[in-house]
Structures are given as structure tokens and as C-alpha cells.
Amino acid sequence: MALRRGFKSEANKYAKEMREELGRQPHEPLCPWELASLLEIPILPLSEFSASDPQAVSVLSNGAQDNFSAVSVFEGRKRLIVHNDAHHPYRQAANIAHELSHAILLHPPTPPFTGDGERNFNSEVRSMEEEANWLGPALLVSEEAALQIVRNNMSMSDASKLYSASEQLITMRINVTGARKRTSRFRRPK
């Protein structure tokens, strides 16, 4: 399933707007926790539920780490995010950025499971997930940030630390924005 026409440009616009709302330049890092605060979306770490359900928290944060990253929980129109704080901090940032993307895009809550107990991955849910999978990384590493990383010949390690994102996410954003190609046009001698 492909993203709807114009969505990638829309995502770049959101990444810029969110930075502006936080008083940041378009190329500067964005902290998902600060953005959540701005959007008035509480974030709860999974470990906070250890006292009430230690077995579930243990399973989700240890043995099944890849099975649970984060989830938006709704009460009426209000939402909060529960995230797996056992993950690496960069993954936590990506998980939260993904969930914040759902909020920014005003995605409605959907039932997590079908009537048969299977994960709900109907076409509407898949479409919303694809949008959040694109916008989340764009929030962390905007188009301008990708260009800045390339222009400054920043190492992936340094970029990863600066943007609190994995090297894989940084590389993906550099690739999808065409940052290397776009930057090389300005470096060619005439």
C-alpha cells in the first residue's frame, strides 16, 4: 500500500511546524517528550505498571521486547502514550514519535483486534500505520536536518547522538530526502 499523494510533503511540513511550535529551527533536533508535552499528551513508561501487573510488564519489557513498543490509549478524545522504556533510548524516541504522528494526523482509535482475536490490520489501519511510519522519522530527522547532516559531513554516530535517533533512521532519512544528491549539486565546481 502506498502513501497517499502529497503525504511526504505534508509530513515535511508537519516536521517544520512542530519545530516552530517548540521554538526550534527546521534543522534542529526535536525531542518527542517535549512535543508530547506541547500537544498535552501524557507519556507513561511501561515500567510504571510494574506494581499493578508485574508479570505482564516483565513479559512485555523483557522476553517480548519486539512485540511491544508503544501504544496510544484513549479516554474519549484524550489520548496518552504507554511506551516500552526497556528499549534503547533512541528506539524509545522513535516509538513515541510514531505514536505522536497518529495524534498529529488525527488518526482515530481503532480496535487492536478483530472479532476473531487476530491483530487488526485492515486497509484503514495499514494506511494509518504507514503514515505514522513516515511521519515519525520525519519528526525526529526533518528534511532540513538530513541536508544539514550531509552538508556538514557529520558522521552517522555524531548525527545519531545529536538527533537521538538510530544510525539506521538517520541513514533512511538522508536517503529518502535525497540529501546527498541535493547537496552534491552545490559542491560541484563550475
Side-chain angles (χ1 to χ4, degrees), residues 24-140:
R24 306 277 187 315
Q25 293 297 312
H27 68 277
E28 291 182 325
L30 179 144
C31 172
W33 285 265
E34 287 179 26
L35 180 57
S37 179
L38 175 77
L39 298 174
E40 298 180 359
I41 300 173
I43 298 176
L44 297 174
L46 180 62
S47 63
E48 195 163 303
F49 298 92
S50 292
S52 59
D53 199 342
Q55 184 177 3
V57 170
S58 177
V59 168
L60 290 172
S61 61
N62 296 318
Q65 268 193 16
D66 290 333
N67 292 334
F68 178 73
S69 297
V71 65
S72 293
V73 179
F74 290 83
E75 183 180 345
R77 297 178 91 163
K78 291 189 175 232
R79 69 173 77 211
L80 67 88
I81 295 170
V82 178
H83 77 100
N84 191 343
D85 52 323
H87 283 163
H88 186 280
Y90 297 169
R91 175 135 180 228
Q92 290 179 51
N95 295 342
I96 291 168
H98 176 92
E99 293 303 320
L100 290 173
S101 295
H102 286 300
I104 292 165
L105 296 167
L106 302 175
H107 288 161
T110 56
F113 301 102
T114 65
D116 299 331
E118 299 289 321
R119 268 304 295 244
N120 184 3
F121 281 122
N122 66 34
S123 62
E124 180 186 7
V125 171
R126 279 196 311 269
S127 176
M128 289 188 296
E129 284 304 313
E130 285 183 33
E131 289 180 351
N133 285 340
W134 188 271
L135 180 55
L139 290 172
L140 293 175

Side-chain angles (χ1 to χ4, degrees), residues 11-28:
N12 289 333
K13 186 182 93 174
Y14 280 125
K16 243 186 199 175
E17 286 177 4
M18 295 301 114
R19 281 172 170 74
E20 188 177 313
E21 289 286 325
L22 290 167
R24 306 277 187 315
Q25 293 297 312
H27 68 277
E28 291 182 325

Side-chain angles (χ1 to χ4, degrees), residues 119 144 150:
R119 268 304 295 244
E144 294 80 6
V150 173

Side-chain angles (χ1 to χ4, degrees), residues 106-178:
L106 302 175
H107 288 161
T110 56
F113 301 102
T114 65
D116 299 331
E118 299 289 321
R119 268 304 295 244
N120 184 3
F121 281 122
N122 66 34
S123 62
E124 180 186 7
V125 171
R126 279 196 311 269
S127 176
M128 289 188 296
E129 284 304 313
E130 285 183 33
E131 289 180 351
N133 285 340
W134 188 271
L135 180 55
L139 290 172
L140 293 175
V141 181
S142 65
E143 182 175 358
E144 294 80 6
L147 288 164
Q148 183 89 353
I149 291 165
V150 173
R151 277 189 205 115
N152 292 338
N153 282 326
M154 193 179 295
S155 73
M156 285 298 112
S157 175
D158 288 344
S160 179
K161 289 174 191 158
L162 178 62
Y163 290 94
S164 297
S166 70
E167 291 184 24
Q168 293 85 355
L169 189 145
I170 301 278
T171 300
M172 182 271 287
R173 288 296 298 158
I174 287 171
N175 291 340
V176 299
T177 60

